[in-house]
Amino acid sequence: MKRKNYSSEEIEKKLIEKGVQPTLQRIALCQYILCVADHPTADEVFDWAQKNMAKISQATVYNTLGVLTDSGLIRAFKFPHTEKIVYDCNIEDHFHFFDEKSGRILDIEADSVKLNLDLPKKYKVNSIDIVFKGEIK
Amino acid sequence: MKRKNYSSEEIEKKLIEKGVQPTLQRIALCQYILCVADHPTADEVFDWAQKNMAKISQATVYNTLGVLTDSGLIRAFKFPHTEKIVYDCNIEDHFHFFDEKSGRILDIEADSVKLNLDLPKKYKVNSIDIVFKGEIK
DNA sequence: CTTCCTAATTAGAATAGTTCTAAAACTAGA
DNA sequence: TCTAGTTTTAGAACTATTCTAATTAGGAAG
C-alpha cells in the first residue's frame, strides 16, 4: 500500500544513497518495483520490462533484483505457496497475509500482531516470519 | 522429538488406514521418515534409501512423499532458508524454529505461542505459518 | 576528446529441485 | 491364471534461478 510516485531523479538519488550505480536499466526497473508493482516476482518484473522499456535481458532483471535486495532498497521473500522469490518494496518489519482466493499478498504491519512466546531460554530468536493464509471477504 | 519406533506391521496398518497401498518401498521409506528422520528433504530420504534398501528410484521417493503428504500421514513445508521441500512427521498444528547455526529445524508446539491479532474484520485467517529464526545457545 | 579501467549488461549455458512420461513390473480380485 | 488397475522405474522435461564469458557502457585521468 505504500505506493509512491517517485520521479527518475528521486529514484536515482535513492540508488546513489545506497551505493548503487544508477544505470538506465536499474532506474527503469525501480520505477516499476517501487511505484507500480505489488509484491512482484522476477518474471513479472521481466514481463513489465519487455513491454515498457527498450530491450533488456532476463539476467539484468535478476541482477538488478539482487543488487536492490543486497543494498536494502527492497526485500526478498519466499512464501509457502510458490517457488518464486517475491520482492517487496516495504522494508519495514512486517508480516504477510496470503489471500488464497486471489493469490495476492498483503502486508500486515508488525504492530498489529502481538506475540507471547513461551520458548526454552536457550532459543535466541533473531527474526520471525509469519504468513497468514486465508481469504478476504 | 516424537521419534517412534514403529514396526513394519504398525506402519502397514497406518498406510491402510489412510487408504494407501502398503508397498515394500512405501513401508521402508516410512520406517525412515516416521521413525528416524528429522525434517528430511527428498534427497535425504533418497540417500538413506540408497544405503539401506534394495534398488529404488528417485521418482519413487518423490511419488511416495507425495502420496504420504496427500494422505495426511506427513506434512510438507517450505521454508525461507532453502528451496527444498521439507517433510515433517508431526501432523499436529505447530510452528518451527530454524537454528541458523546448525541449519536444524525444530518444532514449536502451537500452545507455546500466543497470538493477539488486530487485523481488519474482512481478513478471514485459515492457517498461520510461523518460522522463528535464531540460534540455540 | 581519447584512453584506460571498471562495472553493468547480455545471450546462452548450466544448475537444482521437482514433476512428467511411457514402459515394465507388480498386486488384488474374479 | 487372467485381467485391470497400481506402482515403480529410468530418463526426459520443466521451472526458477544462477553462472559464464563476451560485449558494451560510463567515468576518471591525461
Side-chain angles (χ1 to χ4, degrees):
Chain A
M1 299 304 107
K2 57 163 6 186
R3 203 69 40 82
K4 294 263 172 71
N5 245 322
Y6 297 119
S7 65
S8 304
E9 291 72 27
E10 286 173 305
I11 286 172
E12 197 166 337
K13 218 177 107 199
K14 278 175 173 290
L15 290 170
I16 291 167
E17 268 169 18
K18 296 286 184 178
V20 176
Q21 203 172 295
T23 65
L24 287 178
Q25 289 90 335
R26 288 174 179 172
I27 293 168
L29 293 181
C30 278
Q31 302 270 16
Y32 177 62
I33 299 165
L34 299 181
C35 307
V36 179
D38 178 28
H39 298 94
T41 58
D43 62 305
E44 280 164 26
V45 176
F46 184 52
D47 286 352
W48 175 89
Q50 288 201 298
K51 290 194 192 88
N52 297 277
M53 52 187 289
K55 182 175 76 109
I56 189 172
S57 79
Q58 204 182 20
T60 301
V61 170
Y62 276 102
N63 282 344
T64 302
L65 288 168
V67 167
L68 297 178
T69 303
D70 291 346
S71 75
L73 252 170
I74 62 176
R75 293 178 61 182
F77 286 98
K78 216 108 67 32
F79 292 108
H81 69 281
T82 168
E83 305 296 298
K84 301 181 187 176
I85 297 170
V86 170
Y87 296 90
D88 195 336
C89 60
N90 180 354
I91 53 174
E92 309 289 316
D93 252 6
H94 67 285
F95 306 120
H96 292 101
F97 185 95
F98 174 66
D99 181 1
E100 292 169 321
K101 281 269 169 56
S102 69
R104 249 189 98 196
I105 294 159
L106 296 117
D107 284 357
I108 303 290
E109 281 180 45
D111 60 10
S112 55
V113 179
K114 300 245 182 314
L115 273 171
N116 215 302
L117 301 184
D118 180 27
L119 303 182
K121 279 203 196 69
K122 57 180 184 174
Y123 287 42
K124 188 172 162 283
V125 174
N126 291 332
S127 68
I128 305 176
D129 288 345
I130 307 184
V131 181
F132 301 95
K133 281 188 262 188
E135 49 207 279
I136 296 174
K137 284 185 290 197
Chain B
M1 300 304 108
K2 56 160 8 186
R3 204 68 43 78
K4 293 264 173 71
N5 244 323
Y6 296 120
S7 65
S8 303
E9 289 72 29
E10 285 173 306
I11 287 172
E12 197 168 336
K13 216 178 109 200
K14 276 174 174 292
L15 290 170
I16 292 168
E17 266 169 20
K18 295 287 185 179
V20 175
Q21 205 171 293
T23 65
L24 286 178
Q25 289 89 338
R26 288 173 180 171
I27 293 169
L29 293 180
C30 279
Q31 301 270 16
Y32 178 62
I33 299 165
L34 298 182
C35 306
V36 179
D38 180 27
H39 298 94
T41 58
D43 62 305
E44 280 163 26
V45 176
F46 184 52
D47 286 352
W48 175 89
Q50 289 202 296
K51 289 193 192 91
N52 296 278
M53 52 187 289
K55 182 173 75 108
I56 188 171
S57 79
Q58 203 182 22
T60 300
V61 170
Y62 276 103
N63 282 346
T64 301
L65 288 167
V67 166
L68 296 178
T69 303
D70 292 347
S71 76
L73 251 170
I74 63 177
R75 294 178 61 181
F77 287 97
K78 215 103 77 29
F79 291 108
H81 69 280
T82 169
E83 307 295 298
K84 302 181 188 176
I85 298 171
V86 170
Y87 297 90
D88 195 336
C89 61
N90 180 353
I91 54 176
E92 309 288 316
D93 252 7
H94 67 285
F95 306 120
H96 291 102
F97 185 95
F98 174 66
D99 181 1
E100 292 169 321
K101 282 270 171 55
S102 69
R104 250 190 96 194
I105 295 159
L106 295 117
D107 285 357
I108 303 289
E109 281 179 46
D111 60 10
S112 55
V113 178
K114 300 247 182 312
L115 273 170
N116 217 300
L117 301 184
D118 181 27
L119 304 182
K121 278 204 197 67
K122 57 180 183 173
Y123 287 41
K124 187 172 162 284
V125 175
N126 292 333
S127 68
I128 304 176
D129 287 345
I130 306 184
V131 181
F132 301 95
K133 281 189 262 190
E135 49 208 278
I136 296 175
K137 284 185 288 198

